[in-house]
Structure formats: C-alpha cells, structure tokens
Amino acid sequence: MADISRRDFLKTLGLAGLATVGIASCTGKKEEGTSTGHQAQGAIPKDQMQMRTSPTSGDKVSLLGYGMMRLPHHPVPGKEDEEEIDQEAVNRLVDYAIEHGVNYFDTSPAYCRGFSERSTGIALKRYPREKVFIATKLSNFNSATWSREGSLEIYRNSFRELQTDYIDYMLLHAVGTGRDGMEELHKRYIDNGILDFLMEERKKGRIRNLGFSFHGDVKVFDYLLEQHDKYRWDFVQIQLNYLDWQHAKATNPNNVDAEYLYAELQKRNIPAVIMEPLLGGRLARVPDYIVARLKQREPERSVASWAFRFAGTFPGVLTVLSGMTLLEHLQDNLRSYCPLSPLSDEDMAFLQEVAGEIAGLDTVPCNECDYCMPCPYGIDIPGIFHHYNKCLNEGNIPHETQDANYRKARRAYLVSYDRAIPKVRQADHCIGCSQCVSHCPQRIKIPRELHRISALIEQMRQHPEW
C-alpha cells in the first residue's frame, strides 16, 4: 500500500480531528509522576538501575520503563489554543533516562493524539538501535481499521514513524475493552488474519516479542492464555498497583484484581509488563491523611515510590511503565529502581490496609488516559473527573449542612471548578450520547458520572445562601 497522508492516517486510526487540536493528552496534569511536595530527594546513581531478564527472550530490561503517553508539550507559535510535543524537552528526558539505565520505551499510534510514535522515533534514532527496546501497539480501535488492510496500514506506519526496521515488543492493544470483548477480539485480530500475520512477522524477525495489553473482560484474558501454546505470548501487559491488587472491583466493578492476572501469567512463566502503577497519578494524589501515614512509615521516600516499589517487588514483572512529563517525575521514579529496595511482607500488608481505605472513597476511577476524547460536545471529561477526585481526596467536597463553613466551602469549590474547566466544557453539557463509553479502558459509565457531578454542582449553585 502506498504511503498515505498523516491526516488520512489519523482518520483511518479513528483520530479524525485530533491533528488540529494538539496533544492535550500529554499535559502535565496527567503525569504518572509524583505530587508536588511529596517527592524524595538525593543523588541518583547512574549504574544501579534494577534489571530484569525476560524468560522468553533473554532481554535484559530496565525495571523502569518509559511510557511515551504523557509527553511534554508547548504552544504552537502563532496558533492560539494549539499545542505540540516539545521535542527538545522529550529528547532531554530520554537522554536522562538512558543515562540512568532506562532502556525500554513504550508508545502507541494512539498516544498524544497520534504523534507519540513520531516523537519517540526522533528521540531514540540518536542512539544505537541495539541500545534500546522499543514497544508499540497495533491500536486498531476504530471499526474502520478492523479490515486486514486497515490494520496493516497502522502496523506499517509504526515502522515509518519510529524509524526502525524491527519492533522489540509488539502488542495487541487493550483487548477486552469493548461491550463484547470476545467479539471485538475476533474482529480486530483473529478473523482478519492479523494475529497470524504478526506471528509470521515474529518468525521473520520484524517483531522480536509478541504480546497483548489487557483491560476489562476477564473472559478475553483467560481465552488468550488458554491459547498460549498456539500463540506463544512472549509477554503480557496488565494493570497492576497496590489498589487494584485486591480491590479492583471495589473501585470499578468492571476491573479484574491484579493478583489474579499476575498469578495466571506466573503459571505459564509469561513476564508481565506493568501499566498504571499509579492509576494515572491517583496513587500519588492520595488524601492527606494517607500521605501522613506513608510519610510516617518512611519519611525519606515519596508517596509515589510506594506504588513503584510495590509493582517492582514481584519477580515476574519485567518492567514497570510510567508516563513521565517532567524531569522531577523521572528522577523520583529512578530513585525507586536505582536499585530497587523490595517491599517486605509487613510493607505489603500495610499497603493493603491503605488500599482498603482508598477503595472506600467515592472517586471516579478515571486514569486520565484521554481515550474518551475528544468529546463531540467539547466536554473536558478527564479534567472534570480530575477536579472532582482531587477535591474529594483533599476533603473539599462540601456537603449541605448547618455548619458555618459550608457556605465558604461551597463557594471555594464552585470557583475552583470554573477556573479548572471552562463553562462550555463543563459536565452539564453532557447529553448522554455515550460515544465515550466504548473507548474507556476502565469501562466507566462516563455519562452517569458526569450527570452525578453536574447535579452536585447545580445543587450547590441553587443553594439559597449562594
């Protein structure tokens, strides 16, 4: 197939319109780094990165992997409200990461509104190819790309964007997320022969390791592992963190406990690549009383380090991905893994107590991945959920009461909401079209949550004292 234009490719991928709106999914509010003021300090050694050896390929992989999903950006000169990836900043972050032992870089055609692979390719092309492991995904989310030719064009374009002639780690992207996970799995990868094609590409060496990333329907996960003898998965990417370890359903009834996912991979000696160790940053933005508990136990460590050390403690974990927007996030995560100080059994038990407390909060289980965007009605879905969760964690959601502080708290909440989210992008504009729902890896009932938040805000605005 002849090369197609970038705009045509974005339309094929299902990202129509995103080429002109910039890369909002790369903004700093969605980092997998640490919360300001909760970071550790100290020098970072350059030769002590914890390495893991893959039992399937023998690759020696850094325990910290760089997720190229939340890259730094800057305004486009002369174009109001448009942003683009700050390539110089990306290069500096990649240089610092490689200097400190990071060698695994994970991207996707869908990240940063379609521009992550290109940016990753530019940054990594400056190094010998054998020095780094490149992971990307066949992100054929849109039904228009489920055809063999549509999927093949996405696959071929990854090589062009990444400027490489082989992919170290190729994934089927986010299997099990649709309304009917098994049906979509077959349509996206099996019925069209794409999975057979990828297996042939592995034989030819254009793919070194073949795996899949899993969200959602456990029947899909179990089915793919049952077919392990046929497909010979080299690795599997799962969501694992100390909250989802045993409390995944408490925070989202559609999720699967990471304890089960990890155990199933261990049975088959399949290495696990970990995504969402911080749940999109939520485990770095825990309520202040939980911050105090973590700091009391280990004052010198950051809040985020608990999550990274938890994920890294499991021996079957090959690498832990983190989308790091700022140097301070990268530095803090490097401190967790240069080298790793594994958690003790007592530490693990302590974190599960903390997880139980977090699970009892009424937060929206949004990881701010931006897969739900853009909303056809312009609603800032991740921004709304981020503001609500932040206020809830800080104890700043006012409840109607005779307390003298209610009026002040209500006004503070409404003012902060209007400042964080422009009025034309607020929750009350949701008409419930549900276009966003099928794209959400966490399978959140997004319209229902938006209407709930909108009703809360409307109640506050109509209060007679306002």
Side-chain angles (χ1 to χ4, degrees), residues 414 417-418 423 426 457-463 466:
L414 293 175
Y417 181 65
D418 286 341
K423 288 186 180 296
Q426 292 183 359
I457 291 168
E458 185 62 23
Q459 179 184 7
M460 283 190 262
R461 283 179 172 156
Q462 291 184 355
H463 194 282
W466 175 252

Side-chain angles (χ1 to χ4, degrees), residues 15 23 90 102 107 150 158 169 172 180 201 207 252 325 346 464:
L15 299 175
I23 51 170
V90 172
V102 175
T107 183
S158 291
Y169 291 80
L172 314 184
D180 188 330
E201 289 287 274
I207 294 174
N252 188 337
T325 310
E346 291 78 11

Side-chain angles (χ1 to χ4, degrees), residues 109-381:
Y111 292 169
C112 291
R113 305 294 174 89
F115 292 93
S116 174
E117 281 188 327
R118 175 172 293 185
S119 179
T120 302
I122 292 171
L124 296 182
K125 188 66 174 178
R126 301 169 303 131
Y127 289 89
R129 181 63 183 84
E130 67 277 7
K131 187 176 180 67
V132 296
F133 298 116
I134 298 177
T136 194
K137 307 167 183 71
L138 208 165
S139 307
N140 56 350
F141 295 132
N142 192 296
S143 58
T145 65
W146 291 354
S147 68
R148 183 179 179 85
E149 279 305 304
S151 296
L152 286 177
E153 180 51 36
I154 295 173
Y155 174 75
R156 292 166 182 155
N157 196 68
S158 291
F159 286 84
R160 292 191 290 265
E161 298 283 56
L162 290 165
Q163 304 181 56
T164 185
D165 56 5
Y166 68 92
I167 304 294
D168 296 288
Y169 291 80
M170 174 62 73
L171 300 94
L172 314 184
H173 196 178
V175 299
T177 57
R179 294 180 180 178
D180 188 330
M182 286 298 294
E183 180 181 0
E184 288 200 9
L185 171 69
H186 280 268
K187 288 182 177 179
R188 289 175 63 189
Y189 298 117
I190 298 177
D191 295 347
N192 58 11
I194 287 298
L195 182 49
D196 290 335
F197 168 79
L198 295 177
M199 293 171 66
E200 285 298 315
E201 289 287 274
R202 179 171 58 182
K203 288 181 181 178
K204 295 175 182 177
R206 285 171 60 80
I207 294 174
R208 294 188 56 253
N209 297 273
L210 181 61
F212 63 89
S213 65
F214 169 75
H215 291 278
D217 189 348
V218 71
K219 294 193 297 294
V220 176
F221 180 82
D222 290 341
Y223 170 79
L224 289 174
L225 291 193
E226 288 167 4
Q227 302 296 313
H228 180 47
D229 289 342
K230 176 180 180 180
Y231 298 128
R232 192 173 60 78
W233 304 112
D234 297 300
F235 70 109
V236 173
Q237 190 163 305
I238 60 173
Q239 181 170 308
L240 184 150
N241 52 72
Y242 67 80
L243 181 59
D244 284 331
W245 184 248
Q246 294 179 337
H247 296 277
K249 290 187 179 299
T251 57
N252 188 337
N254 299 308
N255 284 351
V256 184
D257 283 348
E259 183 178 30
Y260 172 81
L261 302 177
Y262 177 77
E264 291 300 301
L265 295 179
Q266 283 291 94
K267 287 178 186 177
R268 298 164 176 84
N269 200 31
I270 301 174
V273 172
I274 303 308
M275 57 185 166
E276 301 295 351
L278 280 181
L279 276 175
R282 281 194 288 152
L283 295 183
R285 299 189 296 266
V286 294
D288 289 345
Y289 72 91
I290 291 180
V291 171
R293 290 191 64 190
L294 297 174
K295 284 294 190 179
Q296 182 180 26
R297 192 172 180 93
E298 291 203 19
E300 300 305 315
R301 292 193 180 272
S302 71
V303 172
S305 71
W306 282 96
F308 283 96
R309 290 172 64 211
F310 176 85
T313 294
F314 298 99
V317 168
L318 182 63
T319 189
V320 180
L321 302 177
S322 177
M324 297 167 283
T325 310
L326 302 176
L327 179 61
E328 64 192 67
H329 307 145
L330 172 58
Q331 290 173 330
D332 190 68
N333 294 340
L334 286 169
R335 290 186 181 96
S336 294
Y337 289 153
C338 290
L340 168 72
S341 176
L343 296 180
S344 66
D345 290 344
E346 291 78 11
D347 290 332
M348 288 291 206
F350 167 71
L351 275 188
Q352 286 311 296
E353 290 180 13
V354 170
E357 295 182 30
I358 297 174
L361 300 173
D362 192 27
T363 54
V364 180
C366 172
N367 294 349
E368 301 177 41
C369 66
D370 266 11
Y371 286 3
C372 59
M373 298 295 284
C375 166
Y377 296 92
I379 299 168
D380 183 2
I381 299 169

Side-chain angles (χ1 to χ4, degrees), residues 442-455:
Q442 305 301 323
R443 294 193 287 175
I444 301 169
K445 292 181 173 58
I446 294 174
R448 184 182 69 182
E449 295 295 341
L450 289 174
H451 294 161
R452 178 171 69 88
I453 293 171
S454 178

